Amino acid sequence: PGSIGGDVGGEVLLNMPCGPHMRPRVTLSLNRRFLSGTGDDRRFREQILWQKDALAQLVPFGNDQCRLRFRFEVPEDLQPSEPPSDDYHLWRLYLHLPLPGMDLQRDFEIPVYPGVRRSTLSLDSRPPPLPSVEELLPLQRQGNRLRLFYPMLRHPFTSFIQALFGAFFAGVGIFLWYGAEGWIGLPMYLGAVVFLLVGGLILAIALYSAFNTLEVILDGRTVESVRRWLGIPLRRSRFLYGNVRRVTAANAAVRRNMRQLSYNVMADVMGLPKPVILAEGLDSTMARDQVIRFFNQQFRQKPR
């Protein structure tokens, strides 16, 4: 079992040889699993409460097998594994290994309990190299000037699904409205209004998600961040490096595999009511922490 306040370590044995370009990522997460809905619509949902990513180390095993070894340090103040019920906590290990043709993805539910036990697995003291900042960010360097630009339609699948849901709810609302007659149809009118409002809101979110852009420019002294929709500026922020209190991150969304969070990196700035987003859609805690270190270096902030 893994240990809360200690280590969660292990290995996965693959029936394939280790390759020099293999970059297996393991994701450890604490999840809350609970029943949601009413009647025949009840089903289990999961919420990720805590998550950490790492690159597994490759250890050849024979001529045609490969061991993927990993070890995580786990904070003390997290929930342990619990017996299944209508509302309980579980720990999950997710493995993602990009391969030619079809990626390898596996999901393991593992036991994790309080303690200070340390893993006895031997790991290479030199961790695998992380992707560069240029690989993680849409970054353009022009002398001392840095520009990040997130274009429209960068999440087409998510925007399309949101638009479908919005159109469905709006369609139901229109159907109810035209099907209602007189005072007898008052409940149908009320239902139509609710469906139309919900559908319109989802469609608005889908359109915003599809057609917004984010541009961040650092010139060595000031930062300018501009959020646009179809080219129309919605929010513009400009501040000095010296006004940055700290660089932090927040959960953005759950990725399509439903096993990994994505993250936005933000600057908490003196004089501004809300943090300013500097980078978005980072797909792992490794990428998140590396980008935070990058902006700390730019702003000459001490890492926190």
Side-chain angles (χ1 to χ4, degrees):
S3 179
I4 299 172
D7 290 344
V8 171
E11 63 182 23
V12 180
L13 178 62
L14 299 185
N15 287 321
M16 63 176 66
C18 296
H21 302 297
M22 292 170 60
R23 295 179 63 85
R25 182 193 298 173
V26 285
T27 301
L28 179 67
S29 62
L30 167 63
N31 301 264
R32 178 190 170 211
R33 194 164 193 257
F34 57 96
L35 270 177
S36 176
T38 57
D40 295 335
D41 245 357
R42 298 192 77 195
R43 57 175 179 161
F44 275 104
R45 298 181 181 272
E46 284 195 17
Q47 177 187 7
I48 300 175
L49 304 178
W50 177 89
Q51 188 167 96
K52 193 172 184 179
D53 306 272
L55 293 177
Q57 293 189 2
L58 308 176
V59 182
F61 186 71
N63 294 324
D64 56 357
Q65 290 183 317
C66 183
R67 294 184 186 273
L68 308 182
R69 287 186 177 172
F70 58 89
R71 182 169 61 216
F72 295 93
E73 291 186 4
V74 181
E76 295 180 354
D77 56 343
L78 298 175
Q79 295 288 334
S81 299
E82 296 174 336
S85 65
D86 289 352
D87 191 343
Y88 68 102
H89 293 90
L90 62 94
W91 285 79
R92 194 182 299 281
L93 186 82
Y94 173 71
L95 167 66
H96 180 215
L97 174 60
L99 294 171
M102 181 178 292
D103 294 350
L104 172 65
Q105 300 182 71
R106 288 293 182 271
D107 198 285
F108 307 94
E109 186 176 337
I110 61 175
V112 181
Y113 300 108
V116 292
R117 294 178 297 276
R118 298 297 177 183
S119 173
T120 58
L121 279 178
S122 60
L123 296 178
D124 192 340
S125 59
R126 296 168 300 174
L130 296 173
S132 65
V133 172
E134 282 75 7
E135 295 177 77
L136 300 174
L137 299 175
L139 184 64
Q140 301 173 2
R141 296 181 183 268
Q142 302 166 346
N144 292 330
R145 187 173 180 267
L146 301 177
R147 178 177 181 261
L148 289 82
F149 184 70
Y150 292 88
M152 291 186 286
L153 298 174
R154 55 192 179 276
H155 305 298
F157 179 82
T158 302
S159 301
F160 177 70
I161 294 299
Q162 288 175 335
L164 280 182
F165 271 101
F168 172 77
F169 276 90
V172 171
I174 294 172
F175 175 80
L176 292 175
W177 184 273
Y178 283 101
E181 293 183 3
W183 289 104
I184 299 177
L186 183 59
M188 293 181 67
Y189 282 121
L190 294 176
V193 170
V194 171
F195 273 96
L196 284 169
L197 288 175
V198 172
L201 177 61
I202 297 175
L203 276 172
I205 292 173
L207 291 173
Y208 175 80
S209 173
F211 299 112
N212 82 87
T213 64
L214 175 64
E215 182 181 31
V216 180
I217 297 175
L218 295 83
D219 64 7
R221 185 171 175 270
T222 61
V223 181
E224 184 175 12
S225 172
V226 185
R227 177 77 68 177
R228 296 182 176 91
W229 186 78
L230 289 176
I232 304 169
L234 300 180
R235 183 186 180 191
R236 185 186 299 269
S237 302
R238 187 179 178 88
F239 53 90
L240 297 170
Y241 284 14
N243 288 345
V244 176
R245 289 195 186 99
R246 64 172 183 160
V247 180
T248 184
N251 298 348
V254 180
R255 295 171 64 80
R256 275 189 287 170
N257 57 34
M258 302 303 292
R259 293 291 180 257
Q260 293 173 295
L261 292 169
S262 62
Y263 303 90
N264 292 342
V265 170
M266 304 172 293
D268 185 8
V269 183
M270 289 186 293
L272 296 181
K274 294 181 180 180
V276 178
I277 294 178
L278 303 173
E280 63 179 31
L282 299 166
D283 65 356
S284 69
T285 57
M286 295 182 296
R288 176 200 67 189
D289 295 344
Q290 190 170 353
V291 170
I292 288 176
R293 285 193 295 270
F294 168 75
F295 282 111
N296 277 329
Q297 291 171 358
Q298 298 299 316
F299 302 144
R300 299 173 182 84
Q301 295 282 326
K302 293 182 179 180
R304 298 188 180 183

